[in-house]
């Protein structure tokens, strides 16, 4: 039960941001573990974010994990404001590359895991640019440049165990001056 709850919460959190050029958007989150494969359409998450009501597989996952749709909707709509130029510069530093590489072990284009870093960087930058400096889960998914985003369940579970260190990393970046970072040579 806790694994399903954590899985859904992480999936919702992974969808961080607001729109991309037509035809370039994640349509499905595909959760994979060995032979197991389940897809949640991004449209279901978007509906949940807009209405507070879950439908389809997302409704089943919420019911099983005893999550309240309104709380998950609130999380999906939670925005982060960041200057696109600063984020772009950060994502192109050694630190940014390292963060993207770690995330790309959990989330990557279905059947193209080697392109995970590029897809993540593009989605974050496009979502922030389209959102006028703001990003949330749905806008991130709508900016993801591949129709199917794979989420590796084993890698996700391993990452969730290290969530406190990720929180510390986010705190470090939010409290540190990022203007001095330069792209890697």
């Amino acid at each position: 039960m806790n694994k399903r709850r954590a899985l859904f919460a992480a999936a919702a959190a992974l969808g961080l941001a607001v729109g991309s050029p037509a035809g370039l958007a994640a349509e499905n989150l595909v959760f994979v573990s060995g032979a197991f494969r389940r897809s949640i359409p991004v449209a279901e998450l978007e509906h949940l974010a807009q209405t507070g009501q879950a439908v389809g597989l997302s409704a089943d996952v919420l019911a099983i994990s005893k999550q309240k749709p309104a709380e998950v909707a609130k999380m999906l709509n939670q925005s982060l404001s960041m200057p696109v130029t600063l984020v772009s510069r950060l994502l192109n530093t050694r630190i940014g590359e390292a963060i993207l590489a770690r995330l790309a072990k959990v989330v990557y284009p279905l059947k193209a895991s080697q392109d995970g870093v590029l897809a993540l960087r593009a989605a974050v930058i496009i979502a922030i640019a389209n959102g006028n400096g703001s990003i949330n889960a749905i806008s991130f998914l709508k900016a993801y440049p591949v129709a199917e985003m794979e989420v590796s369940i084993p890698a996700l579970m391993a990452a969730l165990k290290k969530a406190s260190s990720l929180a510390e990393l986010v705190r470090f970046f939010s409290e540190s001056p990022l203007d001095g970072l330069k792209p890697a040579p």
Side-chain angles (χ1 to χ4, degrees), residues 79-177:
S79 289
L80 222 62
S81 294
M82 300 179 282
V84 70
T85 53
L86 185 61
V87 171
S88 178
R89 287 175 56 196
L90 172 64
L91 293 179
N92 284 292
T93 64
R94 289 183 195 149
I95 294 170
E97 287 284 332
I99 292 168
L100 290 172
R102 283 192 176 184
L103 289 173
K105 291 179 181 178
V106 177
V107 178
Y108 43 85
L110 187 66
K111 300 180 184 174
S113 61
Q114 72 280 1
D115 295 329
V117 170
L118 296 172
L120 286 169
R121 181 185 295 119
V124 169
I125 292 170
I126 290 169
I128 292 171
N130 288 346
N132 295 318
S134 183
I135 184 171
N136 68 31
I138 301 302
S139 65
F140 171 81
L141 292 171
K142 291 174 77 175
Y144 197 78
V146 179
E148 294 187 306
M149 175 193 291
E150 181 171 335
V151 179
S152 167
I153 294 173
L156 176 61
M157 293 315 215
L160 287 174
K161 287 181 182 177
K162 297 178 182 178
S164 64
S165 62
L166 178 61
E168 291 171 12
L169 182 63
V170 169
R171 191 176 329 107
F172 168 77
F173 283 122
S174 66
E175 295 172 356
S176 299

Side-chain angles (χ1 to χ4, degrees), residues 44-67:
E44 286 184 14
L45 297 175
E46 188 173 18
H47 177 79
L48 174 59
Q50 292 172 349
T51 66
Q53 298 175 356
V55 296
L57 183 58
S58 61
D60 296 338
V61 171
L62 286 175
I64 290 169
S65 64
K66 298 181 181 174
Q67 295 283 320

